[in-house]
Amino acid sequence: MNTLKAEKRDMTTKAKKLRREGYVTGVIYGREMKESIPLKMEKPAVERVLKTGGKGSQVMLEVDGQTYDALIKEIDYDSLKGQLLEVDFQALVSNEKVHSVAEIILLNHEAVQEGVIQQMLQEVSYRALPADLVDKIKIDVSSMKVGDTLKVEDLEIAKNPEIDLQTPLDAAVATVIEVRTAPAEDESEEAAEA
């Protein structure tokens, strides 16, 4: 599990100024915390954590000497500037289920001989205890053929009795569609019309 260092943020300093100084802002909150804690984190450290995890990933968050088992709840980007703005965390309680999402990653789609894989679902929503959290679901789709559809109920996460899926079991994750090419017009007909 990744560890990320953060500092309590002085709210008199504007977030914009902190970002110019190389920080990402955020907050950690949780049911067993007296109040939420505004944070500032060094941008390179946050980017390292986000390379291997994202929304729904579990991290150990160190804030001024105290460590929290936390879940990444929100990631806020400025897509125009390509800038990471804020990351929000939820402190986990070991015996309490938490709502999270798991990213769906399709593997070996280039191995599908006929047709094209079309991914319909990017993530699965669920509730689970911290010990059962899943941040990525990797699926090998190399054996799929035209007309095949993979549903949430077919995923490994759906078979875990400790996980309460929020996404419907019959929701389509991916399907293989036939590739249709436009018929080339007969050139001799074009020549006859001219």
Side-chain angles (χ1 to χ4, degrees):
M1 186 182 315
N2 286 317
T3 300
L4 179 63
K5 289 187 187 295
E7 298 171 42
K8 285 184 182 170
R9 176 180 157 203
D10 176 4
M11 293 305 284
T12 59
T13 308
K14 297 241 184 264
K16 214 176 214 179
K17 182 178 189 299
L18 289 171
R19 289 185 194 118
R20 278 196 302 267
E21 293 172 359
Y23 289 98
V24 173
T25 57
V27 67
I28 182 166
Y29 57 88
R31 191 173 62 78
E32 292 191 347
M33 295 176 65
K34 288 183 186 127
E35 56 187 24
S36 60
I37 303 170
L39 306 170
K40 69 175 186 178
M41 301 153 282
E42 292 180 4
K43 189 176 180 184
V46 177
E47 288 173 338
R48 266 194 308 279
V49 167
L50 294 180
K51 273 186 183 159
T52 56
K55 185 177 167 186
S57 295
Q58 202 171 351
V59 296
M60 294 308 289
L61 190 65
E62 291 180 17
V63 182
D64 297 339
Q66 188 166 1
T67 303
Y68 297 92
D69 184 1
L71 185 69
I72 299 174
K73 287 299 274 188
E74 283 301 321
I75 302 170
D76 192 13
Y77 284 99
D78 179 336
S79 53
L80 293 175
K81 294 180 182 174
Q83 184 182 16
L84 177 61
L85 302 175
E86 185 165 323
V87 181
D88 294 344
F89 303 90
Q90 180 179 357
L92 299 172
V93 180
S94 62
N95 61 352
E96 182 179 288
K97 287 192 174 186
V98 64
H99 180 269
S100 189
V101 293
E103 178 187 8
I104 297 172
I105 300 169
L106 301 181
L107 303 173
N108 302 319
H109 44 85
E110 67 282 348
V112 175
Q113 297 298 315
E114 299 169 11
V116 174
I117 291 278
Q118 188 173 31
Q119 187 168 351
M120 334 288 244
L121 207 56
Q122 304 302 317
E123 60 187 28
V124 173
S125 177
Y126 68 95
R127 290 181 58 79
L129 293 170
D132 297 310
L133 291 175
V134 177
D135 64 338
K136 292 182 181 4
I137 302 169
K138 295 180 179 178
I139 308 160
D140 183 351
V141 295
S142 60
S143 62
M144 290 181 75
K145 297 173 187 57
V146 172
D148 287 354
T149 299
L150 184 69
K151 295 187 176 185
V152 171
E153 65 192 0
D154 303 322
L155 303 178
E156 206 55 45
I157 194 170
K159 294 166 180 53
N160 185 338
E162 302 300 319
I163 294 178
D164 304 330
L165 286 174
Q166 307 293 298
T167 303
L169 290 174
D170 62 349
V173 173
T175 187
V176 181
I177 55 172
E178 189 175 349
V179 179
R180 298 183 192 270
T181 53
E185 288 189 36
D186 190 357
E187 289 177 23
S188 60
E189 284 181 29
E190 288 178 16
E193 290 174 10

